[in-house]
Amino acid sequence: MPQRTTFPWGRPRREWLVLALVALAALTPLYGLNAQDNSRLCLSQALLHGRLYDDGCFQLDYASYGGHDYSDKAPGLSIIELPVAEAVGLPDMGTLVSHNSPWQLWIVRVLSSGLMFLACAFLLGRVSEGLAPGYGSVVLVTFALGTLIVAFAAMNFDQVPAALLGFGAFLLAWRRRPLLAGLAAGAGVVFEYQVGLIVAVVAVYLVVGEGRLRRLARYALGVIPGALLLGVYDWLAFGAPWRLSYRYVSNQFQSEQASGFFGIGVPHLYASYEVFAGSGGLLAVSPVLAAAAWGLVLLGREHRREAIACAVVTVLFVIANAGYFLPYGGSPGPRFLIPALPFLALGLAPAFAWRPLLTGALALLSIVTMSLRLLVWGSDYTLRGGVWGELARVPVDLGSSRFAQDLVDNVLGWVVPGRGWGALVVVTLAVIAFAVAWGGAPRRPQVRSREVSRGARVLVVAGVCLIAAAEASTVLGYPYGSPPNDLSVSIDSSAAAAFPDQEVDFTVWSSNASGYQGYGKVFLTISLPPGMKLLGRPAYERGSGCKGKTTLVCFLDSLSPKTSTPVRLGVKITRFGDQTLRASLSAEGASSVPRASFTVGTE
C-alpha cells in the first residue's frame, strides 16, 4: 500500500464531555508534599528573588556547586509554576514543609502538569480520529486513564510536560511545520533532559522525508531558543552551558547518578522485568499497550515513516528506563518512559479498528487497574499480589485493609464523606468516561482479517500470553516466586572476647548489593543480649537514628544500589558467658529479612 503523506486530524465525538470526565477522574487526588515539589518550587522561589540557588531550601533532590544548592532538575517546570504559585499565594517552602498545604499544591500542579496532561490527551484523540474515524474518543480515554501518565497528571513531575512537548514536536514535523516542531522540541529539553532522544528521532524523521535538508535546517533553527535558554541557565548555575544539573547531584544517590550516563547503564534482567511485569510494569497495569504495539505495525502499512519513528522513540525510552539504577524512580511505575507513551499510544487507533472488542476489553482492564493504582499512588504492592490482591482483601479487612489505609485524599471530599467514597467516585468516573467514549465507537472491525498474515497472528497470540504472564507475576511473584533480594546485614566487632565491665564496639553494616534496585523504608533492628549494656546513642549516617536501649530500631530511610551504611554502637559487658548481639534488616519491597549475629565470649 502506498505511503500516505496527509496529516490525520479529526474531531472525536463527545470530545469535550470525555475530556471533562477524564479531568474529574485524573486530577482530583490530593497528594502530599514530596521531593519533586521541593526541588522545583525551591527553584521557583529562588527565581522570584532573582537568583538560581536557594541554600537551605532543598531536602533531597538538589545539586551543589560553588558552595550553593540548586535544583537537580531541568528548570522548565519551575519557570511555568512560578506565576501560578504566586497567584495562589503558595507559602515559602519552609512553611509548606511544616504545614504540607495540599490545596495550594494541588492548584499549582493542576494548572501546570494537569493542563499539559489534558492537552496531550487532546492531541492524541484528534490524531487518532483522523487515523481511524470513530475511535478518537476511546483512544483519548484509554491513553489518559489506562496508562501510567494518569498517575502523574496531578503531580509535580516533568514527564507529563515532556510527553506533551515531545509528541507535539513530532506531530508538527508530521504536519510539515519543522520550525514549530523545533520550537516544541527545544522547549521539551528545558523541561526534561531525556527529550533530547525525541529531538534526535524527529530530526532523522525529517531527514528521510521530502525536502530533507531544508526542513532539517528549519527544525534546527526552532530548537535553538530552547537550547539557548537551557544553556544560559546551566552557565549561570554551573559555570558552563554543557554542564547539566545531574552532574552535581548531592544526595544519597550521588554515586549512582554519577555512574554510566547520569545513572543510565546497560539494561538489567530484573530492571527489565520491573518495567514490563513488576507491580507497576507496563503489561501488568496497562495491558492495552500490547495492543498499541501491534497497532504501530498496522499503522506502518499506511504511515510507514511515522510508525517507525514512534517505535524507535518507544524502544529508546524503554531501554533507558530499564538501564536506570531506579527503574520506578520512587513512583508507581517506570515513569522515565512516560514521554514515549503518546508515541506508543498512536497505535491504539489501528488496534481498535482491527479488533474493537479485544482492544476494548484490554482498555477497560487497564483503566480500572490504573485508577486503582492512582488512588494509592506510590504504595508498594509487589509482595502481596499487586493492587488486585490488596483490593481482594478489602471485603474481609474493610477499613483496616492495606488498600483502604493507603488511599490518598481527594478533592471530592467536599461532596462525599471519606476517602473510600472519593475513591469509588474516581473509579466510577473513569468507567463512565470509557463507556461514553465506547458508545460512539464502531463495533465491527475496520481491518479485514485476510490483510493480516499468519506470522502476525502468532505475534498477537504471543502478546496475549505475555500479558497473562505479567498479570500472573503480580499475583504470584517474580517469576512466580520471591523476587531477588540483594539486602544484607553484617556485624564487625572490636573484640571477640571480653571480661565483665569491659567495652566492646560494634559496627553493624546494612548493604544493598544490587546494581540497579533501590529499597525504601529501611529499618535496622539490633537486639542486645542481657549481658550487654548500651553506652550512649549509636552513631549513624542515614535516616533519623535509633530508638530503644535493649532493642534498637534504626530508621535508615533508603538504600540505593551498591550502597552500604554503618550504625556504630558501644556496649559494656555486664556478666560472664557468651553474649550474642543480633541484627536484622527490613525494607519495603524486600522479599526476605536478612539477619546477622556476633557472639562475644569471656576470657
Side-chain angles (χ1 to χ4, degrees):
M1 185 173 290
Q3 167 78 15
R4 287 190 182 181
T5 58
T6 56
F7 180 71
W9 189 259
R11 181 175 180 177
R13 295 184 61 187
R14 306 166 183 170
E15 180 182 42
W16 295 109
L17 175 58
V18 166
L19 277 171
L21 290 169
V22 165
L24 288 173
L27 301 181
T28 53
L30 274 170
Y31 303 110
L33 181 72
N34 58 49
Q36 299 284 329
D37 296 306
N38 174 259
S39 187
R40 292 184 171 84
L41 292 173
C42 281
L43 177 54
S44 298
Q45 181 175 289
L47 292 171
L48 183 63
H49 294 89
R51 62 177 187 271
L52 300 180
Y53 61 87
D54 200 344
D55 299 336
C57 181
F58 299 99
Q59 293 182 326
L60 177 62
D61 289 348
Y62 68 97
S64 294
Y65 178 80
H68 293 293
D69 293 339
Y70 301 83
S71 172
D72 65 350
K73 312 298 181 186
L77 204 50
S78 298
I79 294 172
I80 68 168
E81 286 184 339
L82 174 57
V84 180
E86 283 299 296
V88 301
L90 190 71
D92 65 76
M93 288 307 299
T95 304
L96 197 62
V97 168
S98 60
H99 292 88
N100 195 18
S101 306
W103 292 102
Q104 291 155 311
L105 273 177
W106 177 75
I107 294 172
V108 171
R109 291 163 172 167
V110 167
L111 294 182
S112 51
S113 293
L115 291 180
M116 292 184 171
F117 160 77
L118 293 175
C120 191
F122 169 83
L123 289 177
L124 183 63
R126 285 291 179 104
V127 176
S128 297
E129 184 68 20
L131 289 172
Y135 294 106
S137 287
V138 72
V139 170
L140 186 160
V141 174
T142 301
F143 167 72
L145 301 180
T147 70
L148 189 60
I149 196 170
V150 67
F152 297 84
M155 290 294 281
N156 209 346
F157 289 74
D158 46 27
Q159 278 77 35
V160 171
L164 170 64
L165 293 168
F167 187 58
F170 170 69
L171 295 183
L172 288 167
W174 189 353
R175 199 169 184 176
R176 300 180 179 177
R177 299 290 188 270
L179 180 62
L180 294 177
L183 288 171
V189 178
V190 179
F191 283 85
E192 174 63 80
Y193 301 134
Q194 286 86 345
V195 176
L197 295 173
I198 299 176
V199 174
V201 173
V202 173
V204 174
Y205 167 77
L206 288 169
V207 166
V208 299
E210 301 174 3
R212 290 171 258 193
L213 295 180
R214 179 168 54 86
R215 289 186 182 176
L216 181 61
R218 291 182 180 178
Y219 174 72
L221 184 63
V223 172
I224 289 176
L228 281 177
L229 176 59
L230 182 60
V232 169
Y233 170 80
D234 289 333
W235 197 347
L236 295 176
F238 307 112
W242 55 83
R243 294 178 180 173
L244 301 181
S245 56
Y246 285 163
R247 180 176 179 179
Y248 303 100
V249 167
S250 182
N251 56 28
Q252 64 197 59
F253 302 116
Q254 182 176 356
S255 60
E256 291 79 16
Q257 200 78 55
S259 64
F261 184 74
F262 296 124
I264 301 174
V266 177
H268 301 271
L269 178 61
Y270 186 61
S272 300
Y273 162 80
E274 285 284 277
V275 169
F276 287 101
S279 60
L282 296 181
L283 296 177
V285 298
S286 297
V288 74
L289 291 179
W294 170 243
L296 287 182
V297 177
L298 300 176
L299 178 67
R301 293 161 49 199
E302 295 185 351
H303 302 278
R304 181 173 301 173
R305 290 192 301 116
E306 289 74 21
I308 292 174
C310 290
V312 170
V313 169
T314 301
V315 170
L316 287 177
F317 274 85
V318 167
I319 290 174
N321 204 146
Y324 194 60
F325 69 95
L326 287 175
Y328 287 7
S331 75
R335 64 181 174 91
F336 302 106
L337 54 74
I338 286 177
L341 286 181
F343 291 86
L344 176 58
L346 207 58
L348 285 174
F352 272 108
W354 175 63
R355 286 292 184 272
L357 295 180
L358 174 61
T359 308
L362 293 174
L364 183 59
L365 175 61
S366 301
I367 288 170
V368 175
T369 305
M370 279 310 310
S371 296
L372 296 173
R373 207 72 177 90
L374 172 75
L375 296 169
V376 293
W377 211 77
S379 300
D380 181 20
Y381 292 153
T382 304
L383 302 179
R384 301 184 63 188
V387 69
W388 288 104
E390 291 296 333
L391 189 66
R393 295 178 175 88
V394 172
V396 177
D397 299 334
L398 299 177
S400 62
S401 64
R402 185 180 176 188
F403 186 86
Q405 294 295 319
D406 288 344
L407 287 174
V408 300
D409 290 326
N410 196 290
V411 297
L412 297 174
W414 278 338
V415 294
V416 294
R419 292 178 298 173
W421 285 104
L424 180 61
V425 171
V426 167
V427 177
T428 302
L429 286 170
V431 174
I432 290 175
F434 178 78
V436 170
W438 181 251
R443 297 294 191 277
R444 293 184 178 180
Q446 308 297 302
V447 178
R448 291 172 295 181
S449 298
R450 66 173 179 269
E451 295 179 4
V452 181
S453 67
R454 180 178 299 178
R457 293 175 184 174
V458 172
L459 290 177
V460 172
V461 173
V464 172
C465 293
L466 286 174
I467 292 173
E471 295 292 346
S473 74
T474 64
V475 176
L476 302 176
Y478 165 82
Y480 313 139
S482 298
N485 185 13
D486 296 287
L487 293 179
S488 63
V489 60
S490 61
I491 304 174
D492 294 334
S493 175
S494 62
F499 286 116
D501 290 331
Q502 284 187 329
E503 178 180 344
V504 178
D505 297 324
F506 292 97
T507 301
V508 183
W509 291 93
S510 302
S511 304
N512 178 14
S514 173
Y516 50 87
Q517 176 70 25
Y519 294 90
K521 297 182 181 179
V522 180
F523 288 90
L524 172 66
T525 302
I526 303 173
S527 300
L528 274 61
M532 289 185 185
K533 180 181 179 180
L534 183 67
L535 299 175
R537 294 182 177 179
Y540 60 94
E541 293 181 352
R542 284 175 175 256
S544 56
C546 306
K547 296 180 179 180
K549 293 184 178 180
T550 58
T551 299
L552 308 176
V553 179
C554 308
F555 179 54
L556 306 182
D557 190 16
S558 63
L559 277 177
S560 51
K562 295 183 179 179
T563 297
S564 295
T565 187
V567 171
R568 297 180 173 89
L569 64 150
V571 303
K572 183 171 70 172
I573 304 299
T574 60
R575 63 176 66 173
F576 285 101
D578 292 347
Q579 304 296 327
T580 302
L581 181 139
R582 305 180 189 278
S584 62
L585 190 65
S586 64
E588 186 177 56
S591 59
S592 62
V593 178
R595 304 178 188 275
S597 62
F598 192 96
T599 300
V600 177
T602 55
E603 296 180 336

